[in-house]
């Protein structure tokens, strides 16, 4: 993985080395910690189907995972604002260890509520992991922030291998308890990521960072922030909505668990592999254009899924879904970076993630019931409505922005 960002000639060599080291560590931690989410998505609906009192609650553990993500974002932002991001990282890794251990106990005792508790802590961990991208931007000069953010997200490529392979090679090791050894591995990987994160050297908190800044209500009314939130919500909502249902849909279609693991592996790789180039594409074409491409790719994913229920259809759907999420979510994250001052960043970024993950909860809760009641095709068809809304929002915000730019170039009042 190439973390060699070009630096201006006046930059201090020590600072540049620190920036590269931080981005590399955060990318490695992203690879390890990203396996946590993959394990939950690969096992959540399947274990839920085995333990839940009714089949309609099969995807509830994944929904609880998303609830953990949503509820953690604002407190994580507050901890980062007061004590620094590294403290938040280590607390998140501790939650990841708890997630694996609690899920292990749930499987051993056939306890559905306990399994939901385990996935909740997994969601807490996942929310902290997603702040790695903003931490990388903190370390970089303004002109390199999209590339730093993108480089850390690229670490998720390896999560796409680590997570599914962890499930595949451990799920039957502790017979007769399916996935018991997998959850032990989940806890071990989270502990290893904590070791990596302990070496991250982020800029120290200053009096500027501790200032209150503008009220969140003022920041949230910015058109650019509203657009960033809409695009982030739709990209992540649909990715989670379809990915939550896919493993169980494959099982219901008679496909083996190994096929579901393979589909998720390609999905997670597709989620993060474009990150090697997404930052450069954003710098060249702008965040809005990249988000638009991402939304179109998610629409293509749903379209392919409607063509059939073979392994190839599921893998193609999940792969296109992953690429679309990458463009949509990283592009929306880059928009957020344009909407805050230094002293506001932790609060604004956590507000954005809170809205994104909170909305995702709706999709997670709906996916299981819709899948069991109406089938995989209905789940796919529902994705087109929010996609259309997000694309219309992009167009709607782009027209006045373009008009303002033209007026400014002519020296006319805006």
């Amino acid at each position: 993985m190439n973390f060699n960002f070009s630096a201006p000639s006046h930059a201090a060599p020590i600072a540049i080395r620190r920036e590269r080291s931080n981005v590399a560590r955060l990318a490695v931690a992203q690879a390890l910690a990203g396996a946590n989410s993959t394990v939950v998505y690969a096992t959540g609906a399947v274990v839920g189907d085995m333990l839940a009192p009714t089949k309609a609650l099969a995807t509830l553990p994944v929904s609880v995972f998303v609830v953990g993500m949503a509820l953690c974002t604002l407190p994580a932002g507050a901890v980062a604002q007061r004590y620094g991001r590294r403290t938040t990282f280590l607390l998140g890794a501790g939650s990841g260890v708890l997630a694996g251990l609690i899920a292990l106990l749930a499987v051993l005792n056939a306890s559905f509520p306990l399994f939901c508790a385990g996935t909740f802590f997994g969601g807490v961990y996942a929310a902290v992991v997603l702040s790695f991208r903003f931490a990388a931007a903190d370390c970089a000069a303004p002109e390199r922030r999209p590339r730093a953010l993108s480089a850390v997200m690229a670490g998720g490529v390896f999560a796409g291998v680590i997570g599914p392979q962890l499930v595949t090679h451990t799920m039957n090791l502790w017979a007769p308890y399916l996935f018991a050894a997998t959850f032990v591995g989940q806890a071990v990987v989270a502990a290893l990521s904590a070791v990596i994160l302990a070496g991250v050297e982020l800029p120290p908190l200053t009096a500027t960072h501790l200032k209150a800044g503008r009220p969140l209500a003022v920041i949230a009314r910015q058109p650019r922030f509203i657009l960033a939130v809409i695009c982030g919500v739709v990209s992540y909502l649909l990715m989670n909505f379809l990915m939550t249902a896919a493993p169980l849909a494959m099982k219901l279609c008679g496909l083996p668990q190994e096929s579901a693991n393979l589909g998720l592996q390609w999905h997670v790789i597709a989620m993060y592999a474009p990150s090697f180039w997404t930052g450069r594409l954003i710098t060249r074409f702008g965040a809005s254009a990249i988000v638009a491409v991402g939304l179109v790719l998610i629409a293509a994913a749903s379209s392919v899924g409607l063509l059939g229920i073979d392994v190839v259809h599921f893998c193609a759907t999940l792969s296109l879904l992953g690429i679309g999420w990458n463009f949509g979510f990283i592009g929306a994250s880059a928009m957020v970076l344009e909407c805050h001052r230094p002293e506001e960043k932790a609060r604004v970024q956590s507000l954005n993630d809170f809205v994104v993950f909170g909305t995702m909860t709706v999709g997670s809760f709906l996916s299981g019931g819709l899948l069991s009641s109406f089938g995989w095709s209905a789940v796919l068809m529902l994705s087109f409505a929010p996609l259309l809304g997000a694309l219309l929002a992009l167009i709607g915000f782009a027209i006045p922005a373009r008009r303002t730019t033209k007026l400014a170039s002519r020296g006319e009042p805006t």
Side-chain angles (χ1 to χ4, degrees):
M1 191 180 297
N2 181 16
F3 304 106
N4 187 21
F5 302 109
S6 57
S9 57
H10 64 271
I14 294 178
I16 297 302
R17 285 197 298 271
R18 183 180 299 116
E19 176 183 329
R20 292 172 180 168
S21 172
N22 285 334
V23 171
R25 282 182 174 273
L26 288 167
V28 172
Q30 178 79 47
L32 295 172
N36 165 73
S37 298
T38 309
V39 167
V40 172
Y41 282 113
T43 66
V46 177
V47 175
D49 188 57
M50 294 188 302
L51 301 181
T54 173
K55 299 300 182 184
L57 296 177
T59 60
L60 180 61
V62 180
S63 300
V64 172
F65 172 81
V66 178
V67 170
M69 293 175 73
L71 293 182
C72 176
T73 49
L74 293 179
V79 172
Q81 182 89 12
R82 182 68 180 84
Y83 300 104
R85 289 195 188 274
R86 188 164 62 172
T87 299
T88 308
F89 294 165
L90 296 179
L91 289 173
S95 296
V97 174
L98 277 177
L101 296 179
I102 293 174
L104 167 65
L105 291 176
V107 171
L108 295 180
N109 293 280
S111 171
F112 184 67
L114 197 58
F115 184 63
C116 289
T119 59
F120 176 86
F121 279 101
V124 173
Y125 185 29
V128 173
V129 171
L130 282 171
S131 71
F132 292 178
R133 70 195 196 280
F134 289 129
D138 287 350
C139 309
E143 67 274 9
R144 296 195 300 280
R145 284 174 183 165
R147 292 179 62 186
L149 186 153
S150 183
V152 168
M153 294 297 285
V157 172
F158 301 97
V161 176
I162 295 170
Q165 292 304 314
L166 176 64
V167 175
T168 297
H169 294 292
T170 61
M171 62 184 186
N172 295 312
L173 286 182
W174 193 333
Y177 302 105
L178 184 66
F179 299 123
T182 300
F183 297 129
V184 174
Q186 181 183 13
V188 171
V189 171
L192 182 58
S193 74
V195 175
I196 302 297
L197 290 167
V200 175
E201 299 179 48
L202 295 172
L205 293 174
T206 64
T208 299
H209 293 106
L210 296 176
K211 290 180 180 177
R214 294 170 293 170
L216 279 177
V218 173
I219 299 169
R221 286 198 295 267
Q222 297 175 100
R224 190 66 169 171
F225 182 77
I226 295 171
L227 181 61
V229 170
I230 290 173
C231 294
V233 162
V234 172
S235 299
Y236 224 125
L237 169 68
L238 292 179
M239 186 279 292
N240 184 74
F241 182 64
L242 297 177
M243 186 172 67
T244 298
L248 185 54
M250 295 177 78
K251 179 182 177 182
L252 295 176
C253 291
L255 301 174
Q257 179 66 37
E258 288 78 7
S259 295
N261 294 344
L262 178 64
L264 282 176
Q265 176 173 315
W266 283 109
H267 170 71
V268 177
I269 291 173
M271 284 174 65
Y272 296 105
S275 299
F276 291 107
W277 307 282
T278 308
R280 291 184 176 90
L281 292 173
I282 290 171
T283 301
R284 181 171 180 180
F285 298 106
S288 296
I290 300 306
V291 169
V293 172
L295 296 174
V296 170
L297 287 170
I298 294 174
S302 295
S303 300
V304 170
L306 290 169
L307 297 178
I309 55 173
D310 294 328
V311 173
V312 65
H313 293 104
F314 278 101
C315 287
T317 294
L318 289 170
S319 296
L320 286 170
L321 180 65
I323 299 171
W325 172 85
N326 181 279
F327 282 16
F329 185 63
I330 294 182
S333 298
M335 290 181 189
V336 173
L337 295 177
E338 303 168 10
C339 300
H340 59 70
R341 300 168 183 168
E343 66 272 19
E344 300 163 347
K345 62 187 178 184
R347 292 185 303 123
V348 174
Q349 291 162 8
S350 60
L351 173 64
N352 171 77
D353 286 353
F354 174 75
V355 176
V356 171
F357 300 149
T359 309
M360 279 170 55
T361 307
V362 177
S364 293
F365 277 114
L366 288 176
S367 61
L370 288 170
L371 180 64
S372 61
S373 300
F374 301 103
W376 175 236
S377 294
V379 173
L380 293 168
M381 289 293 294
L382 277 175
S383 67
F384 291 107
L387 284 170
L388 179 60
L391 286 169
L392 290 175
L394 275 171
I395 296 169
F397 280 102
I399 292 173
R402 189 172 299 171
R403 179 178 178 275
T404 301
T405 301
K406 286 183 178 179
L407 291 175
S409 66
R410 297 172 186 168
E412 300 177 19
T414 58

XYZ file of all heavy atoms in Angstrom, residues 330-401:
525
model
N -17.079 8.059 0.876
C -15.852 8.860 0.974
C -16.084 10.242 0.387
O -15.604 11.252 0.912
C -14.672 8.144 0.292
C -14.333 6.860 1.048
C -13.448 9.058 0.246
C -13.149 6.097 0.494
N -16.844 10.324 -0.718
C -17.164 11.631 -1.280
C -17.947 12.483 -0.303
O -17.669 13.674 -0.118
N -18.936 11.878 0.368
C -19.724 12.616 1.362
C -18.853 13.028 2.551
O -19.012 14.129 3.094
C -20.896 11.761 1.834
N -17.914 12.162 2.955
C -17.003 12.501 4.063
C -16.122 13.686 3.694
O -15.840 14.553 4.530
C -16.134 11.292 4.422
O -16.918 10.212 4.873
N -15.666 13.737 2.433
C -14.860 14.867 1.977
C -15.676 16.160 2.014
O -15.142 17.232 2.319
C -14.338 14.603 0.563
N -16.966 16.062 1.730
C -17.828 17.249 1.820
C -17.894 17.758 3.261
O -17.889 18.972 3.513
C -19.241 16.911 1.354
C -19.404 16.655 -0.124
S -21.165 16.312 -0.469
C -21.066 15.781 -2.173
N -17.973 16.832 4.216
C -18.051 17.222 5.627
C -16.819 18.018 6.039
O -16.908 18.987 6.804
C -18.215 15.982 6.526
C -18.137 16.356 8.008
C -19.542 15.291 6.244
N -15.651 17.647 5.517
C -14.419 18.354 5.859
C -14.453 19.817 5.420
O -13.700 20.636 5.950
C -13.207 17.668 5.200
C -12.880 16.248 5.674
C -11.714 15.682 4.875
C -12.568 16.229 7.163
N -15.317 20.144 4.488
C -15.433 21.513 3.992
C -16.361 22.371 4.846
O -16.487 23.578 4.611
C -15.969 21.505 2.552
C -15.134 20.688 1.566
C -15.870 20.488 0.244
O -16.918 21.134 0.048
O -15.388 19.707 -0.583
N -17.006 21.771 5.840
C -18.120 22.437 6.537
C -17.798 22.881 7.963
O -18.691 23.387 8.652
C -19.338 21.509 6.562
S -19.942 21.027 4.931
N -16.578 22.657 8.440
C -16.303 22.996 9.835
C -14.949 23.681 9.984
O -14.067 23.568 9.138
C -16.359 21.749 10.719
C -15.383 20.669 10.327
N -14.026 20.782 10.493
C -15.583 19.441 9.783
C -13.432 19.676 10.070
N -14.364 18.850 9.632
N -14.811 24.392 11.092
C -13.549 24.992 11.502
C -12.802 23.997 12.383
O -13.393 23.023 12.862
C -13.820 26.287 12.274
C -14.576 27.332 11.466
C -15.077 28.459 12.349
N -15.869 29.423 11.590
C -16.612 30.377 12.133
N -16.677 30.493 13.465
N -17.307 31.200 11.376
N -11.484 24.211 12.611
C -10.713 23.233 13.403
C -11.334 22.920 14.757
O -11.386 21.760 15.180
C -9.344 23.902 13.552
C -9.221 24.754 12.331
C -10.609 25.263 12.050
N -11.822 23.951 15.460
C -12.360 23.714 16.803
C -13.722 23.020 16.768
O -14.219 22.585 17.813
C -12.486 25.041 17.576
C -13.498 26.018 17.015
C -12.912 26.951 15.954
O -11.839 26.607 15.397
O -13.530 27.990 15.682
N -14.320 22.910 15.587
C -15.646 22.307 15.472
C -15.616 20.880 14.947
O -16.650 20.202 14.924
C -16.517 23.146 14.518
C -16.725 24.578 14.961
C -17.223 25.474 13.839
O -17.177 25.052 12.657
O -17.634 26.615 14.132
N -14.442 20.411 14.523
C -14.378 19.181 13.729
C -14.933 17.954 14.456
O -15.700 17.171 13.870
C -12.948 18.909 13.278
C -11.948 18.689 14.399
C -10.537 18.603 13.853
C -9.538 18.442 14.989
N -8.149 18.440 14.486
N -14.575 17.756 15.724
C -15.017 16.540 16.421
C -16.534 16.508 16.548
O -17.176 15.481 16.309
C -14.365 16.442 17.792
N -17.125 17.640 16.897
C -18.585 17.685 17.071
C -19.311 17.533 15.741
O -20.311 16.824 15.639
C -18.987 19.000 17.738
C -18.523 19.116 19.179
C -19.064 20.380 19.834
N -18.671 21.573 19.100
C -19.530 22.462 18.601
N -20.828 22.277 18.746
N -19.098 23.523 17.959
N -18.804 18.204 14.710
C -19.480 18.160 13.403
C -19.359 16.770 12.786
O -20.323 16.218 12.237
C -18.900 19.232 12.468
C -19.482 19.097 11.062
C -19.178 20.624 13.016
N -18.163 16.187 12.866
C -17.961 14.851 12.295
C -18.805 13.815 13.027
O -19.389 12.918 12.404
C -16.481 14.494 12.352
C -15.627 15.332 11.416
C -14.146 15.289 11.765
O -13.709 14.528 12.620
N -13.353 16.114 11.091
N -18.885 13.921 14.351
C -19.691 12.949 15.096
C -21.181 13.170 14.840
O -21.952 12.206 14.809
C -19.384 13.019 16.598
O -19.669 14.309 17.123
N -21.605 14.428 14.635
C -22.998 14.687 14.281
C -23.335 14.040 12.942
O -24.383 13.388 12.794
C -23.264 16.188 14.214
C -24.651 16.595 13.685
C -25.752 16.096 14.614
C -24.735 18.117 13.508
N -22.443 14.201 11.970
C -22.655 13.579 10.665
C -22.797 12.067 10.802
O -23.739 11.457 10.269
C -21.490 13.915 9.741
C -21.525 13.131 8.446
O -22.291 13.421 7.535
N -20.667 12.124 8.343
N -21.877 11.446 11.528
C -21.921 9.992 11.678
C -23.141 9.546 12.471
O -23.720 8.488 12.196
C -20.640 9.497 12.355
C -19.441 9.533 11.423
O -19.628 9.822 10.219
O -18.316 9.279 11.879
N -23.559 10.349 13.447
C -24.748 10.005 14.216
C -25.985 9.950 13.321
O -26.792 9.011 13.403
C -24.964 11.027 15.336
C -26.242 10.842 16.097
C -26.372 9.818 17.019
C -27.325 11.684 15.878
C -27.564 9.635 17.718
C -28.511 11.509 16.567
C -28.626 10.490 17.498
N -26.138 10.946 12.452
C -27.293 10.962 11.549
C -27.220 9.792 10.577
O -28.213 9.098 10.320
C -27.366 12.300 10.782
C -28.513 12.268 9.773
C -27.554 13.462 11.748
N -26.013 9.547 10.025
C -25.845 8.455 9.061
C -26.180 7.112 9.696
O -26.985 6.335 9.172
C -24.405 8.443 8.496
C -24.157 7.183 7.671
C -24.163 9.678 7.631
N -25.585 6.824 10.848
C -25.776 5.526 11.473
C -27.178 5.383 12.065
O -27.752 4.296 12.077
C -24.728 5.282 12.561
C -23.319 5.319 12.037
C -22.282 5.753 12.849
C -23.024 4.956 10.745
C -20.979 5.794 12.378
C -21.731 5.004 10.259
C -20.707 5.416 11.074
N -27.730 6.510 12.578
C -29.083 6.450 13.110
C -30.093 6.087 12.038
O -31.011 5.286 12.271
N -29.921 6.645 10.846
C -30.822 6.326 9.744
C -30.616 4.891 9.277
O -31.573 4.204 8.887
C -30.598 7.292 8.571
O -30.638 8.637 9.050
C -31.667 7.117 7.500
N -29.369 4.418 9.329
C -29.084 3.035 8.957
C -29.872 2.041 9.805
O -30.219 0.959 9.335
C -27.590 2.734 9.149
C -26.686 3.187 8.032
S -24.975 3.022 8.563
C -24.923 1.308 9.050
N -30.146 2.424 11.042
C -30.870 1.521 11.935
C -32.221 1.125 11.345
O -32.650 -0.031 11.455
C -31.088 2.198 13.302
O -29.834 2.662 13.798
C -31.707 1.243 14.292
N -32.873 2.100 10.704
C -34.174 1.826 10.092
C -34.041 0.730 9.035
O -34.829 -0.218 8.985
C -34.757 3.109 9.475
C -36.081 2.817 8.782
C -34.918 4.190 10.528
N -33.012 0.873 8.182
C -32.801 -0.123 7.140
C -32.513 -1.502 7.698
O -33.000 -2.510 7.172
N -31.729 -1.557 8.776
C -31.397 -2.845 9.373
C -32.633 -3.539 9.945
O -32.830 -4.736 9.786
C -30.360 -2.656 10.484
O -29.131 -2.244 9.949
N -33.474 -2.762 10.630
C -34.682 -3.342 11.202
C -35.634 -3.830 10.121
O -36.295 -4.855 10.265
C -35.395 -2.317 12.091
C -34.844 -2.239 13.486
C -34.211 -1.098 13.943
C -34.953 -3.323 14.348
C -33.696 -1.024 15.229
C -34.444 -3.262 15.640
C -33.811 -2.105 16.077
N -35.722 -3.084 9.022
C -36.669 -3.431 7.970
C -36.229 -4.620 7.132
O -37.063 -5.375 6.642
C -36.886 -2.226 7.050
C -37.697 -1.060 7.602
C -37.731 0.074 6.589
C -39.120 -1.505 7.940
N -34.912 -4.783 6.955
C -34.429 -5.756 5.975
C -34.867 -7.180 6.296
O -35.292 -7.922 5.404
C -32.903 -5.686 5.858
O -32.294 -5.999 7.092
N -34.768 -7.585 7.566
C -35.135 -8.953 7.917
C -36.608 -9.242 7.683
O -36.970 -10.261 7.080
N -37.482 -8.332 8.146
C -38.910 -8.536 7.957
C -39.315 -8.510 6.498
O -40.137 -9.321 6.053
N -38.730 -7.581 5.740
C -39.054 -7.494 4.307
C -38.587 -8.741 3.569
O -39.291 -9.252 2.693
C -38.397 -6.248 3.710
C -39.024 -4.905 4.106
C -38.142 -3.754 3.655
C -40.417 -4.777 3.503
N -37.401 -9.222 3.934
C -36.869 -10.409 3.265
C -37.745 -11.629 3.551
O -38.093 -12.389 2.631
C -35.427 -10.667 3.726
C -34.738 -11.886 3.121
C -34.566 -11.719 1.615
C -33.377 -12.099 3.792
N -38.119 -11.814 4.811
C -38.914 -12.990 5.159
C -40.340 -12.908 4.626
O -40.958 -13.930 4.321
C -38.943 -13.174 6.682
O -39.529 -12.045 7.312
N -40.871 -11.675 4.488
C -42.257 -11.512 4.053
C -42.415 -11.402 2.537
O -43.381 -11.923 1.971
C -42.876 -10.272 4.713
O -42.859 -10.374 6.116
N -41.471 -10.713 1.890
C -41.657 -10.400 0.469
C -40.537 -10.929 -0.437
O -40.682 -10.912 -1.659
C -41.787 -8.887 0.277
C -42.930 -8.284 1.044
C -42.698 -7.579 2.214
C -44.229 -8.445 0.617
C -43.747 -7.026 2.937
C -45.290 -7.896 1.322
C -45.044 -7.187 2.491
N -39.405 -11.329 0.142
C -38.342 -11.900 -0.671
C -37.248 -10.910 -1.040
O -37.369 -9.697 -0.848
N -36.187 -11.448 -1.602
C -34.980 -10.697 -1.950
C -35.267 -9.631 -3.010
O -34.734 -8.525 -2.955
C -33.922 -11.678 -2.420
C -32.634 -11.110 -2.927
C -32.069 -11.331 -4.144
C -31.708 -10.274 -2.216
N -30.861 -10.686 -4.250
C -30.612 -10.029 -3.077
C -31.697 -9.706 -0.946
C -29.519 -9.238 -2.713
C -30.604 -8.904 -0.569
C -29.544 -8.683 -1.451
N -36.125 -9.928 -3.966
C -36.418 -8.969 -5.036
C -37.062 -7.697 -4.487
O -36.746 -6.588 -4.943
C -37.341 -9.597 -6.091
O -36.685 -10.650 -6.770
N -37.934 -7.845 -3.502
C -38.574 -6.672 -2.901
C -37.557 -5.799 -2.188
O -37.620 -4.562 -2.250
C -39.668 -7.113 -1.930
N -36.598 -6.428 -1.508
C -35.531 -5.679 -0.831
C -34.743 -4.858 -1.851
O -34.436 -3.675 -1.628
C -34.608 -6.651 -0.069
C -33.400 -5.915 0.484
C -35.367 -7.336 1.065
N -34.425 -5.470 -2.982
C -33.673 -4.774 -4.022
C -34.478 -3.630 -4.629
O -33.950 -2.531 -4.857
C -33.265 -5.759 -5.116
C -32.255 -6.841 -4.716
C -32.178 -7.914 -5.788
C -30.882 -6.230 -4.474
N -35.755 -3.861 -4.897
C -36.588 -2.841 -5.533
C -36.716 -1.584 -4.668
O -36.736 -0.457 -5.178
C -37.980 -3.415 -5.825
C -38.014 -4.445 -6.944
S -37.632 -3.733 -8.564
C -39.056 -2.654 -8.790
N -36.799 -1.780 -3.356
C -36.964 -0.634 -2.455
C -35.770 0.317 -2.473
O -35.902 1.470 -2.082
C -37.198 -1.126 -1.028
C -38.635 -1.523 -0.683
C -38.695 -2.101 0.717
C -39.561 -0.319 -0.790
N -34.605 -0.148 -2.919
C -33.407 0.687 -2.883
C -33.457 1.838 -3.882
O -32.745 2.842 -3.717
C -32.164 -0.168 -3.160
O -32.174 -0.661 -4.489
N -34.280 1.731 -4.908
C -34.253 2.740 -5.961
C -34.834 4.088 -5.518
O -34.408 5.137 -6.005
C -34.991 2.234 -7.204
C -34.285 1.105 -7.904
C -34.769 -0.188 -7.822
C -33.116 1.327 -8.609
C -34.113 -1.240 -8.453
C -32.455 0.289 -9.238
C -32.949 -0.999 -9.165
N -35.784 4.091 -4.598
C -36.416 5.351 -4.166
C -35.425 6.294 -3.481
O -35.288 7.464 -3.878
C -37.615 5.064 -3.275
N -34.689 5.852 -2.436
C -33.718 6.770 -1.827
C -32.592 7.166 -2.775
O -32.070 8.281 -2.672
C -33.182 5.986 -0.625
C -33.563 4.569 -0.855
C -34.789 4.590 -1.680
N -32.212 6.277 -3.689
C -31.179 6.638 -4.661
C -31.639 7.802 -5.525
O -30.878 8.752 -5.769
C -30.848 5.429 -5.546
C -29.988 4.339 -4.916
C -29.963 3.114 -5.821
C -28.571 4.847 -4.675
N -32.860 7.752 -5.998
C -33.399 8.837 -6.807
C -33.440 10.139 -6.015
O -33.082 11.211 -6.519
C -34.799 8.467 -7.299
C -35.522 9.521 -8.154
C -34.725 9.817 -9.416
C -36.932 9.058 -8.491
N -33.845 10.056 -4.740
C -33.885 11.247 -3.900
C -32.514 11.889 -3.731
O -32.371 13.117 -3.796
N -31.484 11.058 -3.502
C -30.131 11.596 -3.315
C -29.605 12.228 -4.600
O -28.956 13.286 -4.570
C -29.196 10.484 -2.843
N -29.856 11.597 -5.742
C -29.405 12.165 -7.017
C -30.096 13.497 -7.300
O -29.466 14.452 -7.779
C -29.671 11.170 -8.151
C -28.721 9.966 -8.206
C -29.241 8.915 -9.186
C -27.305 10.400 -8.605
N -31.389 13.593 -6.979
C -32.095 14.860 -7.156
C -31.533 15.936 -6.227
O -31.459 17.113 -6.602
C -33.591 14.661 -6.902
C -34.350 13.839 -7.961
C -35.800 13.620 -7.525
C -34.297 14.533 -9.322
N -31.150 15.536 -5.015
C -30.541 16.496 -4.083
C -29.215 17.010 -4.628
O -28.925 18.215 -4.543
C -30.336 15.841 -2.716
N -28.398 16.115 -5.193
C -27.132 16.554 -5.798
C -27.372 17.571 -6.896
O -26.694 18.596 -6.974
C -26.386 15.342 -6.364
C -25.508 14.534 -5.411
C -25.025 13.255 -6.092
C -24.313 15.356 -4.947
N -28.342 17.287 -7.757
C -28.648 18.199 -8.857
C -29.194 19.519 -8.316
O -28.812 20.608 -8.746
C -29.662 17.560 -9.834
C -29.043 16.327 -10.495
C -30.114 18.560 -10.882
C -30.026 15.476 -11.273
N -30.088 19.417 -7.328
C -30.705 20.612 -6.764
C -29.712 21.537 -6.097
O -29.814 22.769 -6.217
N -28.719 20.968 -5.399
C -27.709 21.803 -4.757
C -26.669 22.303 -5.751
O -26.051 23.343 -5.540
C -27.015 21.033 -3.634
C -27.799 20.980 -2.362
C -28.509 19.850 -1.999
C -27.839 22.073 -1.517
C -29.236 19.790 -0.823
C -28.559 22.036 -0.333
C -29.268 20.895 0.016
N -26.453 21.570 -6.835
C -25.424 21.950 -7.803
C -25.827 23.162 -8.624
O -24.993 23.996 -8.970
C -25.123 20.770 -8.733
N -27.111 23.302 -8.945
C -27.551 24.400 -9.808
C -27.300 25.764 -9.171
O -26.654 26.626 -9.785
C -29.045 24.219 -10.176
C -29.204 22.993 -11.087
C -29.584 25.472 -10.863
C -30.648 22.633 -11.378
N -27.748 26.042 -7.935
C -27.444 27.351 -7.343
C -25.962 27.565 -7.091
O -25.469 28.692 -7.185
C -28.247 27.345 -6.032
C -28.548 25.917 -5.752
C -28.648 25.260 -7.077
N -25.230 26.478 -6.756
C -23.788 26.627 -6.534
C -23.089 27.043 -7.824
O -22.199 27.894 -7.820
C -23.208 25.313 -6.018
